[in-house]
C-alpha cells in the first residue's frame, strides 16, 4: 500500500510569494494534519482536517491556510512568504485515533 | 498538553540494547504515552504507545513506571538503522483533535 505522499519534494520561493503544498493520505484515512519542522527542532502542529472540516489549528499566523478535498487529499497554502517560513512541511494521515502516518515532507526554501 | 523531558542525545553500540528515558511528571490519567522516531531526511514514524502496562511490538518495548511519571523505550538490539531522533509524546485519550505536540527528542547515535 502507498504511504502518505507529498508534492513537491523541494521548492524554492522568494519573500512575498505564495506557495501551495499538496498531500495525499493513505487510502481510507480521513484525517490529515500538517506540521512545520524548522532545522534542529521537532515538528510543530499547524492544522488538522477531518472529513473536510478543520479540527485543530496551531499557533501560526493567518498567512497559513489549508483545505481538504472530498477525496481527503489536502493543500497547505502560505501567503506572503517570509524567510522564517523556510522549513520541512510534513503531512500526516490518520485512520483512527492515535497513530499518525507521516509523509516524507516538502522542503521549502525562501530566499 | 503535559510536557515530556528527554535527554538531548545518547550513544549506544551496535547490537546492544538501548534504553531511552522519558520523564512526564505531569501526566494525567487519560494521557497515552507515544513514541515516534525520525530517521534522517524522513518524516516521523510511529514506534509504540501505551497507557499503563508495558507494551511490546516488533520494533521496540515500552516500559511504563508504576506511577506513570516516567517511561523507557527499549530497543533490544540496536542497529545502525536505528540512528534517529526519538520523540516521547503524551496524547490525550478521547480528544477531538489529533495533533501531536513534539518536543526536541533524543538524538540516538549508534556506534559500529
Amino acid at each position: 500500500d502507498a504511504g502518505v505522499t507529498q508534492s513537491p519534494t523541494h521548492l524554492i520561493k522568494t519573500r512575498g510569494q505564495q506557495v501551495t503544498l499538496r498531500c495525499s493520505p493513505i487510502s481510507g484515512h480521513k484525517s490529515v494534519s500538517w506540521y512545520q519542522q524548522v532545522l534542529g527542532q521537532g515538528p510543530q502542529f499547524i492544522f488538522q482536517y477531518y472529513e473536510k472540516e478543520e479540527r485543530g489549528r496551531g499557533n501560526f499566523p493567518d498567512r497559513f491556510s489549508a483545505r481538504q478535498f472530498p477525496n481527503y487529499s489536502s493543500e497547505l497554502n502560505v501567503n506572503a512568504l517570509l524567510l522564517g517560513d523556510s522549513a520541512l512541511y510534513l503531512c500526516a494521515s490518520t485512520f483512527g485515533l492515535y497513530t499518525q502516518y507521516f509523509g516524507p515532507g516538502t522542503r521549502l526554501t525562501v530566499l | 498538553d503535559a510536557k515530556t523531558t528527554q535527554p538531548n542525545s545518547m550513544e549506544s553500540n551496535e547490537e546492544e540494547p538501548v534504553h531511552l528515558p522519558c520523564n512526564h511528571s505531569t501526566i494525567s490519567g487519560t494521557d497515552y504515552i507515544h513514541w515516534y522516531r525520525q530517521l534522517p531526511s524522513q518524516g516521523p514514524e510511529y514506534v509504540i504507545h501505551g497507557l499503563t502496562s508495558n507494551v511490546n511490538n516488533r520494533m521496540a518495548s515500552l516500559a511504563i513506571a508504576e506511577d506513570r511519571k516516567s517511561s523507557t523505550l527499549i530497543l533490544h538490539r540496536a542497529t545502525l538503522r536505528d540512528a534517529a531522533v526519538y520523540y516521547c509524546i503524551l496524547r490525550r485519550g478521547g480528544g477531538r483533535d489529533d495533533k501531536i505536540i513534539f518536543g526536541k527528542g533524543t538524538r540516538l547515535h549508534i556506534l559500529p
Side-chain angles (χ1 to χ4, degrees), chain A residues 6-104:
Chain A
Q6 294 186 243
S7 62
T9 306
H10 296 86
L11 202 53
I12 298 175
K13 293 285 189 178
T14 57
R15 281 179 297 176
Q17 285 189 311
Q18 175 264 341
V19 69
T20 298
L21 311 180
R22 296 177 177 82
C23 171
S24 292
I26 293 172
S27 177
H29 288 196
K30 299 181 179 180
S31 174
V32 170
S33 298
W34 287 94
Y35 295 81
Q36 179 196 65
Q37 186 172 25
V38 174
L39 200 61
Q41 303 292 321
Q44 299 297 306
F45 173 76
I46 310 176
F47 285 110
Q48 187 213 350
Y49 277 79
Y50 178 77
E51 293 272 17
K52 297 174 288 179
E53 290 187 3
E54 184 181 299
R55 274 280 182 94
R57 174 186 284 256
N59 189 23
F60 281 81
D62 292 343
R63 298 185 296 108
F64 289 77
S65 63
R67 57 179 175 168
Q68 187 177 30
F69 299 99
N71 67 353
Y72 304 113
S73 67
S74 177
E75 287 182 350
L76 175 69
N77 295 284
V78 187
N79 293 322
L81 285 167
L82 303 174
L83 295 179
D85 295 331
S86 295
L88 179 68
Y89 288 85
L90 295 160
C91 173
S93 76
T94 310
F95 174 71
L97 293 176
Y98 310 136
T99 302
Q100 291 198 357
Y101 297 87
F102 285 81

Side-chain angles (χ1 to χ4, degrees), chain A residues 40-42 44, chain B residues 4 6-8 85-87 102-107:
Chain A
Q41 303 292 321
Q44 299 297 306
Chain B
T4 63
Q6 300 177 252
N8 289 332
V85 178
Y86 286 77
Y87 297 99
F102 287 89
K104 291 190 177 181
T106 296
R107 184 171 296 277

Side-chain angles (χ1 to χ4, degrees), chain B residues 11-26:
Chain B
E11 273 186 2
S12 181
N13 294 319
E14 194 178 10
E15 299 186 5
E16 290 186 357
V18 181
H19 289 65
L20 296 162
C22 180
N23 288 318
H24 28 78
S25 58
T26 60

